[in-house]
Amino acid sequence: MTTNIAESLNSILMDEWDYPMSYIFNSIAKKFGEKFRERHAFVGGKENIFVPSTERILRDNKSGSDSLYVGNTNGVLDEYTVFGNGITAKVNLLESSCSCQKFNLVKMPFELAMVALRAKYSDGKDYGNSIYDYSSPIYKDKSYLLAYSKAINVVPPEGEWTVPQELVETKISPPPYDLKLERKKFKRTKDVGEIFKSKRRNRCSICKKYGDKRTTCRMSIKS
């Protein structure tokens, strides 16, 4: 898999592009159905609050916060200043925000937010539970399983299709295309130096006239 969704889909559907249209849709539905069952079984068999990948990220963030320090100079319960490793940031737990914007965008406690949570709840059960409380519910395994719970129906034979009459009578024209297969030619804009540059003319070495060549010169033929 890649970060480009289109490339990822193309890589797993390379063989299907040679099939008829209805077979392409059915093959795509089959592949997605297999992926859905695979993901559903993988996440459903874990005893986690969040999906395994999110649990791993949270563990890494928790261990990475050990080298950071936190302060609460203003005395406000949910506002902390975190510094260390050349970083100084302000974390607001009540708004689930950070001055570096990472907490705001990811909606999951990272290293700076972990330090603030430890300062508020101390090490213990409350600290562990607060990590999940300050994370978005989209990372929960229940949300993940819900996303893969829908069934993907295959395309029935064309004879069983129910098509509205207004669509049957609609004439769809093909998109415009150029019959020429070669690359479209563009007229190049000449540079100023090219416009005023004089053309070089050949000079015959026999008759010394411009425009003639030694191989085609009349004087050479007469001799």
Side-chain angles (χ1 to χ4, degrees):
M1 298 295 286
T2 66
T3 55
N4 190 319
I5 298 177
E7 290 183 0
S8 300
L9 290 178
N10 287 334
S11 64
I12 64 176
L13 299 173
M14 292 293 295
D15 299 333
E16 282 72 10
W17 300 127
D18 297 331
Y19 298 169
M21 188 61 64
S22 60
Y23 289 94
I24 291 178
F25 287 119
N26 288 335
S27 180
I28 292 175
K30 180 182 178 182
K31 294 242 179 179
F32 273 89
E34 293 174 354
K35 287 290 182 182
F36 276 31
R37 289 191 296 271
E38 177 185 338
R39 301 288 177 84
H40 197 281
F42 176 72
V43 177
K46 305 292 183 179
E47 298 294 335
N48 296 327
I49 300 177
F50 283 179
V51 295
S53 58
T54 306
E55 292 280 357
R56 182 172 61 255
I57 294 174
L58 290 175
R59 286 195 300 268
D60 295 340
N61 293 343
K62 188 176 180 180
S63 60
S65 65
D66 295 337
S67 59
L68 302 176
Y69 302 91
V70 64
N72 188 4
T73 56
N74 297 331
V76 182
L77 182 61
D78 292 315
E79 295 182 3
Y80 297 90
T81 302
V82 181
F83 53 93
N85 296 332
I87 300 173
T88 301
K90 295 184 180 298
V91 178
N92 190 319
L93 297 178
L94 185 62
E95 299 178 356
S96 297
S97 63
C98 179
S99 58
C100 69
Q101 302 298 318
K102 188 175 182 179
F103 196 11
N104 312 44
L105 298 175
V106 182
K107 303 299 181 184
M108 179 197 308
F110 62 110
E111 293 89 344
L112 304 179
M114 288 286 187
V115 180
L117 289 175
R118 186 185 295 119
K120 181 177 180 179
Y121 295 98
S122 301
D123 290 318
K125 185 177 181 181
D126 293 338
Y127 168 54
N129 294 334
S130 67
I131 296 175
Y132 300 103
D133 295 337
Y134 284 89
S135 299
S136 174
I138 63 173
Y139 298 113
K140 291 184 177 181
D141 56 351
K142 295 181 180 179
S143 301
Y144 192 89
L145 294 176
L146 184 63
Y148 288 98
S149 62
K150 301 294 183 180
I152 301 178
N153 300 320
V154 298
V155 180
E158 188 174 356
E160 301 178 5
W161 291 3
T162 303
V163 184
Q165 189 63 29
E166 59 270 15
L167 295 181
V168 175
E169 298 174 354
T170 302
K171 294 183 179 180
I172 303 176
S173 302
Y177 63 94
D178 191 358
L179 295 176
K180 298 179 180 179
L181 298 179
E182 67 270 11
R183 180 183 294 180
K184 187 176 180 180
K185 297 180 179 180
F186 296 93
K187 186 176 180 180
R188 187 176 67 88
T189 304
K190 294 184 178 181
D191 189 60
V192 177
E194 294 178 304
I195 297 175
F196 297 101
K197 185 177 180 181
S198 60
K199 295 183 178 179
R200 183 178 179 181
R201 301 178 62 188
N202 292 327
R203 184 180 182 184
C204 179
S205 60
I206 299 175
C207 65
K208 307 300 181 181
K209 293 181 179 180
Y210 289 98
D212 288 348
K213 294 182 180 180
R214 180 175 59 83
T215 55
T216 59
C217 181
R218 294 180 182 181
M219 295 182 63
S220 176
I221 295 175
K222 290 180 180 180
S223 62

